[in-house]
């Protein structure tokens, strides 16, 4: 770790503030702009598993998933929005980022393609469709790119998981992942320097999450040779809490159960399936308490979709759970293609900035560490984590990032 000067700290904070704006407002660019970039060759490509974050569909055109800020190396999602005041322009052989006509990043740094993206599993599946690079040495597996709640008319209103499969599943070769595929892919990724895994997906019709996750853990252990493979199991709140002991015994280091909404009445409206299929909001909160008992403080994570409820309500939930020892991730609500709320708007970027600042302060108040945030999150690339990292003086090379800017 190192102490930044005041000038360095201000510059890095400005980068995080710009990142926050980009995550909320997106970036405008011509969809064919990346014809000048060797995507899927030298540079990593966007693979739309679980959710698609762009405002507009582009199944016939490849985009890079993100870029790195020049000084702090903060991974920043590339979200396409034609109406954004922030724009990406290709000129004089390089990509420059503009804000209302003024250059804010000259020569944008995209990132290199991981070696395991070139590999296939033993059954011929492309490893890039099994696990994707989520930054800071983290891999993300979406075992199922669909959710059975749709068939019951109980989709979460902010979610576009089923629309993502319809748009990109066939074009990108994304389908159900077997434990064998996951084990082989994670082993290949870990050989390249990755060291954290999250497994997630939509609701399975039969709710056979436990059996599947245990099979995945066994396959990862077999192929990596690691008993503790630093995995996060992201699951729905079960009715039988005894399953938490099984996840821990299987080798998962952390666990995640995403409440999404703190306000009880809004929870029932925004997340009807979670309310009706999983014992209601109280069961979700009780599940977090039991996970804390089994896994320990700072080894349990929940996500709130920030922007769907009043600020005070959201902050109340963040502090309540953070104080208990839950790693809380206020993920900005991005209104995505195919979600029931498509056409609505998320709050302004400064609304989200205040949430991020206060969340980072709570991480510090309740003595979280960078390693704990990184282990419990699917990836510690969220703005609150960036702010925490800045205050802690943790430089880019200390984050576990294995992707080199090129």
């Amino acid at each position: 770790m190192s102490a930044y000067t005041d000038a360095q700290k201000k510059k890095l904070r400005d980068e995080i503030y710009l990142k926050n704006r980009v995550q909320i407002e997106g970036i405008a660019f011509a969809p064919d702009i990346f014809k000048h970039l060797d995507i899927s060759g030298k540079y990593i490509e966007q693979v739309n598993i679980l959710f698609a974050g762009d405002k507009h569909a582009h199944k016939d055109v490849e985009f890079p998933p993100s870029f790195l800020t020049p000084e702090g190396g903060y991974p920043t999602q590339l979200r396409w929005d034609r109406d954004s005041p922030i724009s990406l322009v290709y000129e004089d052989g390089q990509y420059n980022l503009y804000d209302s006509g003024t250059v804010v990043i000259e020569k944008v740094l995209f990132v290199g393609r991981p070696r395991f993206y070139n590999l296939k599993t033993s059954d011929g599946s492309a490893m890039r469709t099994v696990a994707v690079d989520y930054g800071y040495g983290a891999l993300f597996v979406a075992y199922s790119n669909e959710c059975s709640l749709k068939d019951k008319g109980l989709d979460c209103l902010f979610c576009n998981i089923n629309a993502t499969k319809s748009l990109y599943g066939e074009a990108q070769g994304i389908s159900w992942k077997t434990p064998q595929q996951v084990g082989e892919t994670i082993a290949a990724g870990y050989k390249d320097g990755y060291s954290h895994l999250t497994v997630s997906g939509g609701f399975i019709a039969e709710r056979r999450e436990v059996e599947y996750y245990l099979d995945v853990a066994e396959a990862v252990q077999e192929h990596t040779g690691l008993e503790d493979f630093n995995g996060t199991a992201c699951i729905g709140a079960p009715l039988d809490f005894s399953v938490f002991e099984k996840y821990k015994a299987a080798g998962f280091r952390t666990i995640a159960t995403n409440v999404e909404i703190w306000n009880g009445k809004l929870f029932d409206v925004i997340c009807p399936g979670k309310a009706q299929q999983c014992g209601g909001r109280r069961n979700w909160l009780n599940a977090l308490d039991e996970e804390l008992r089994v896994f320990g403080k700072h080894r349990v994570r929940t996500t709130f979709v920030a922007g769907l409820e009043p600020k005070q309500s959201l902050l109340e939930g963040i502090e309540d759970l953070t104080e208990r020892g839950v790693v809380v991730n206020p993920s900005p609500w991005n209104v995505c293609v195919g979600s029931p709320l498509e056409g609505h708007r998320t709050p302004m970027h400064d609304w989200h900035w205040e949430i991020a600042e206060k969340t980072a302060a709570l991480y510090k108040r309740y003595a979280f560490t960078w390693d704990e945030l990184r282990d419990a999150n699917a990836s510690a690339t969220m703005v609150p984590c960036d702010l925490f990292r800045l205050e802690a003086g943790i430089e880019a090379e200390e984050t576990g990032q294995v992707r080199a800017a090129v």
Side-chain angles (χ1 to χ4, degrees):
M1 295 187 184
S2 66
Y4 295 115
T5 66
D6 289 344
Q8 289 173 325
K9 195 170 183 179
K10 182 182 183 307
K11 193 169 187 178
L12 292 171
R13 189 176 176 83
D14 287 345
E15 280 194 355
I16 301 172
Y17 183 80
L18 176 62
K19 170 179 174 173
N20 176 71
R21 283 196 58 204
V22 167
Q23 306 297 253
I24 304 308
E25 298 182 338
I27 302 176
F29 51 81
D32 66 348
I33 191 174
F34 298 113
K35 64 186 178 183
H36 306 286
L37 198 67
D38 184 18
I39 300 177
S40 299
K42 185 176 181 181
Y43 298 93
I44 192 171
E45 70 270 31
Q46 180 188 85
V47 182
N48 289 291
I49 61 170
L50 208 57
F51 311 117
D54 294 302
K55 187 175 180 181
H56 322 288
H58 58 93
K59 66 179 181 179
D60 297 322
V61 183
E62 279 197 322
F63 291 175
S66 60
F67 62 92
L68 301 179
T69 61
E71 298 295 330
Y74 300 111
T76 304
Q77 185 183 11
L78 191 84
R79 293 188 58 253
W80 184 31
D81 186 340
R82 299 187 189 98
D83 300 320
S84 175
I86 303 169
S87 60
L88 185 69
V89 178
Y90 183 78
E91 53 193 359
D92 300 325
Q94 64 185 39
Y95 292 88
N96 298 324
L97 193 70
Y98 285 80
D99 180 9
S100 301
T102 301
V103 176
V104 289
I105 296 181
E106 190 173 353
K107 196 175 182 179
V108 171
L109 298 175
F110 297 102
V111 293
R113 196 172 193 252
R115 284 180 293 181
F116 82 89
Y117 269 42
N118 297 315
L119 304 178
K120 293 186 177 182
T121 61
S122 58
D123 67 0
S125 299
M127 287 189 176
R128 72 184 187 91
T129 69
V130 178
V132 296
D133 180 333
Y134 254 37
Y136 296 148
L139 295 173
F140 187 86
V141 172
Y143 62 86
S144 167
N145 214 62
E146 59 187 339
C147 180
S148 65
L149 293 177
K150 178 183 179 181
D151 297 333
K152 301 176 182 180
L154 297 174
D155 268 351
C156 294
L157 300 189
F158 57 82
C159 180
N160 75 338
I161 180 173
N162 290 300
T164 297
K165 182 184 179 183
S166 296
L167 281 169
Y168 300 106
E170 183 177 352
Q172 296 188 337
I174 299 168
S175 60
W176 178 274
K177 286 82 174 176
T178 69
Q180 178 79 6
Q181 291 169 343
V182 175
E184 293 176 4
T185 301
I186 298 308
Y190 277 26
K191 285 180 181 177
D192 284 347
Y194 293 85
S195 57
H196 177 232
L197 158 70
T198 292
V199 183
S200 185
F203 276 60
I204 306 172
E206 300 85 359
R207 290 306 303 274
R208 294 198 309 241
E209 282 180 330
V210 181
E211 293 84 354
Y212 178 82
Y213 277 69
L214 300 190
D215 289 344
V216 165
E218 184 178 358
V220 171
Q221 289 170 332
E222 175 187 349
H223 289 280
T224 64
L226 299 172
E227 184 176 349
D228 179 359
F229 50 88
N230 193 8
T232 300
C234 185
I235 65 171
L239 298 177
D240 177 9
F241 288 177
S242 68
V243 300
F244 297 140
E245 297 281 2
K246 296 180 181 179
Y247 287 110
K248 185 176 182 182
F252 287 99
R253 186 186 298 183
T254 51
I255 196 164
T257 299
N258 294 327
V259 175
E260 319 286 17
I261 304 291
W262 180 253
N263 180 282
K265 292 182 179 179
L266 286 175
F267 177 88
D268 291 347
V269 173
I270 301 294
C271 306
K274 290 193 170 189
Q276 297 177 36
Q277 302 290 309
C278 302
R281 174 179 176 273
R282 174 43 53 190
N283 190 60
W284 284 79
L285 297 178
N286 289 342
L288 292 176
D289 286 336
E290 181 63 11
E291 288 170 347
L292 286 169
R293 186 191 69 78
V294 173
F295 283 84
K297 284 189 172 184
H298 303 181
R299 292 196 168 192
V300 175
R301 184 248 300 168
T302 199
T303 295
F304 286 125
V305 184
L308 286 170
E309 63 185 304
K311 183 188 298 180
Q312 192 55 44
S313 170
L314 175 59
L315 289 173
E316 176 188 317
I318 294 171
E319 178 154 17
D320 182 291
L321 295 179
T322 305
E323 184 177 8
R324 294 192 220 177
V326 178
V327 176
V328 180
N329 173 18
S331 180
W333 172 38
N334 290 323
V335 187
C336 300
V337 173
S339 70
L341 290 176
E342 183 178 359
H344 290 249
R345 293 183 179 181
T346 196
M348 301 295 287
H349 62 85
D350 278 337
W351 189 99
H352 288 283
W353 180 251
E354 181 180 346
I355 297 295
E357 285 187 309
K358 291 185 175 179
T359 301
L362 289 170
Y363 291 159
K364 181 177 181 180
R365 180 190 305 175
Y366 296 114
F368 288 78
T369 68
W370 169 257
D371 286 340
E372 289 170 338
L373 294 177
R374 179 177 172 271
D375 286 351
N377 275 294
S379 177
T381 59
M382 305 302 293
V383 170
C385 294
D386 291 334
L387 290 170
F388 178 89
R389 175 187 142 193
L390 175 59
E391 290 298 321
I394 299 170
E395 297 187 12
E397 59 267 23
E398 302 174 75
T399 62
Q401 178 74 293
V402 299
R403 302 178 303 170
V406 286

